[in-house]
Amino acid sequence: MTLRSVIRGTGHYLPERVVENSWFEERLDTSDEWIRTRTGIERRHFAAEGQATSDMGLRAARAALDKAGLKPDDIDGIVLATSTPDFTFPASATMIQHGLGMTHGFAYDVQAVCAGFVFALANADAMIRGGMARRVLVIGSETFSRIMDWSDRGTCVLFGDGAGAVVLEGQNGDGTAGDRGILASDLNSDGQYRDLLYVDGGVGTTGTAGQLRMQGNLVFRHAVEKLAKTAHVALDKAGLTPAQVDWLVPHQANARIITATAQKMGLPMDKVVLTVADHGNTSAASIPLALSVADSQGRFREGDVIVTEAIGGGLSWGSVVLRW
Ligand code: ACO
C-alpha cells in the first residue's frame, strides 16, 4: 500500500475587469497583432482596487472545496504559491485560512514565482505522503498588475491577475504508475540567472515592492529547453513515457513556448490545455487556473495522465506528473 496525493477538487477565480490587447494600443507603442502573434495573449483580467491576492485565493479555495464536496473543517492545511502577497507578512495563506473560518491546521506561502504552484504541489504531496496532513488546499494566486512597469511594453502586456486552487487528498494506491494521484515531481532552481527575471525592489533592499524586469528572449530560450527536460525527468521517475501522457497542463506564459515544449515532448496540441489567450501570464496561478478551467469543461477522465510544468524567476522550474 502506498499513499498518493489525489486531486479531489479544483476551483478558480478571475477578477471582473477584462483588459483586451487594444487597451495597450492606446497607451504604448504596441499592437494587438504583435501581442497575439508573439505571445498568444488576447486578454487578461486585472484585480479591482483593494482586491488582494488573498481575496482571490479565498474565492478559488471555496470553489475547489465545493467541487470536492468538502468543508474547511475537512482541510488540514493550506499552501499558497504567490510572489505578490498582500503584505510582507503574515503569509497570505493565513488570511485565506481565516477567510475560510479555519482556526486549525497550518497555512503558509511558497515563493517560486511562475513555478510556484508546481513547487507548492510537490511540497503538499510530500507532506501528505509523510503523514503530516491528509487533505491540503494548494492555491496559486497573483496580482502581478501591482508590480508592472506600465511603460515597459516588453513585460506589461504579458501578465494578468487570478487564482486557482486544488484540494489534495491522501488515498491508498498500490505503488504502481497505475495509481491515481501524484506519481512524481522534479524541482530545480539556479540562482545564477537572477538578472534574467526579477523584481527591482523588496523589503530587504529598497523597502519598496519594486517592478518586474525581464530579458524575455533569454528567458524564452531557457524555458523551451528546461521545460521539456523537467517533464521527461518526472515522467521517467513515474515510470511513464511521453506517449502515455493524456494532457499537458503547462504554465501559461507564452503560446510559442507551450507549442515548442509540446513538440519536444512529441505531444499533439489537442493534448495541451491552453488558457493563455484569455488569462495572460498569471504566474503561480496559471496552472491551477488551467486545471480548473479544463476540469469544469469536463475534459479530464479518471485515469488520465497529466503533466504540469513551469519556469519562472530564479530561475526556478519543475514539473509534476499525476494521474487524474
Ligand atoms: N509590442 C511591440 N513590440 C514589442 C513589444 C510589444 N509589446 N515588446 C517587445 N517588443 C519588441 C522589442 O522591443 C524588440 O524590438 P527590436 O527588435 O526593435 O529591439 C522586438 O519586439 C523583439 O523583442 P524580443 O524580446 O526579442 O521578442 P520575443 O519574440 O522574444 O518576445 C516575449 C518577447 C513575448 C517576452 C518572449 O520573449 C517571452 O515570452 N519570453 C518568456 C517569458 C516567460 O516565459 N517568462 C517566465 C515566466 S514569467 C515569471 O516567472 C514572472
Side-chain angles (χ1 to χ4, degrees), residues 24 28-31 34-35 38-39 41 83 112-115 142 144 147 152-159 197-199 212 214-221 223 227 251-257 281 283-284 310-316:
F24 292 96
L28 291 165
D29 180 16
T30 189
S31 63
W34 190 96
I35 302 171
R38 293 297 184 107
T39 72
I41 298 166
S83 304
V113 204
C114 293
E142 301 275 22
F144 263 52
I147 52 167
D152 178 9
R153 66 179 183 171
T155 54
C156 72
V157 302
L158 305 175
F159 293 90
L197 176 52
Y198 67 103
V199 168
L212 184 142
M214 179 167 73
Q215 297 180 48
N217 47 6
L218 295 181
V219 176
F220 192 102
R221 271 182 244 159
L227 288 175
H251 170 47
Q252 309 281 322
N254 184 318
R256 285 159 54 218
I257 296 177
N281 180 348
S283 188
I311 185 165
L315 296 175
S316 289

Side-chain angles (χ1 to χ4, degrees), residues 144-192:
F144 263 52
S145 62
R146 304 262 155 76
I147 52 167
M148 285 300 112
D149 173 352
W150 297 106
S151 67
D152 178 9
R153 66 179 183 171
T155 54
C156 72
V157 302
L158 305 175
F159 293 90
D161 301 334
V166 305
V167 179
L168 266 194
E169 179 180 88
Q171 292 183 12
N172 289 325
D174 57 19
T176 68
D179 286 347
R180 291 189 68 205
I182 293 178
L183 300 171
S185 308
D186 176 57
L187 305 183
N188 311 270
S189 306
D190 190 342
Q192 72 171 303

Side-chain angles (χ1 to χ4, degrees), residues 52-54 82-95 109 143 203:
T53 289
S54 71
T82 190
S83 304
T84 47
D86 299 17
F87 298 104
T88 301
F89 75 76
S92 298
T94 62
M95 286 173 258
D109 294 358
T143 42
V203 64

Side-chain angles (χ1 to χ4, degrees), residues 227-290:
L227 288 175
K229 188 164 174 219
T230 183
H232 276 114
V233 171
L235 279 166
D236 255 6
K237 283 190 197 173
L240 294 168
T241 65
Q244 291 169 291
V245 174
D246 296 293
W247 294 102
L248 177 65
V249 186
H251 170 47
Q252 309 281 322
N254 184 318
R256 285 159 54 218
I257 296 177
I258 295 172
T259 308
T261 309
Q263 263 168 8
K264 279 198 165 205
M265 292 177 68
L267 292 179
M269 287 308 284
D270 60 1
K271 289 189 170 187
V272 181
V273 175
L274 260 180
T275 54
V276 69
D278 294 327
H279 303 165
N281 180 348
T282 57
S283 188
S286 93
I287 289 175
L289 257 166

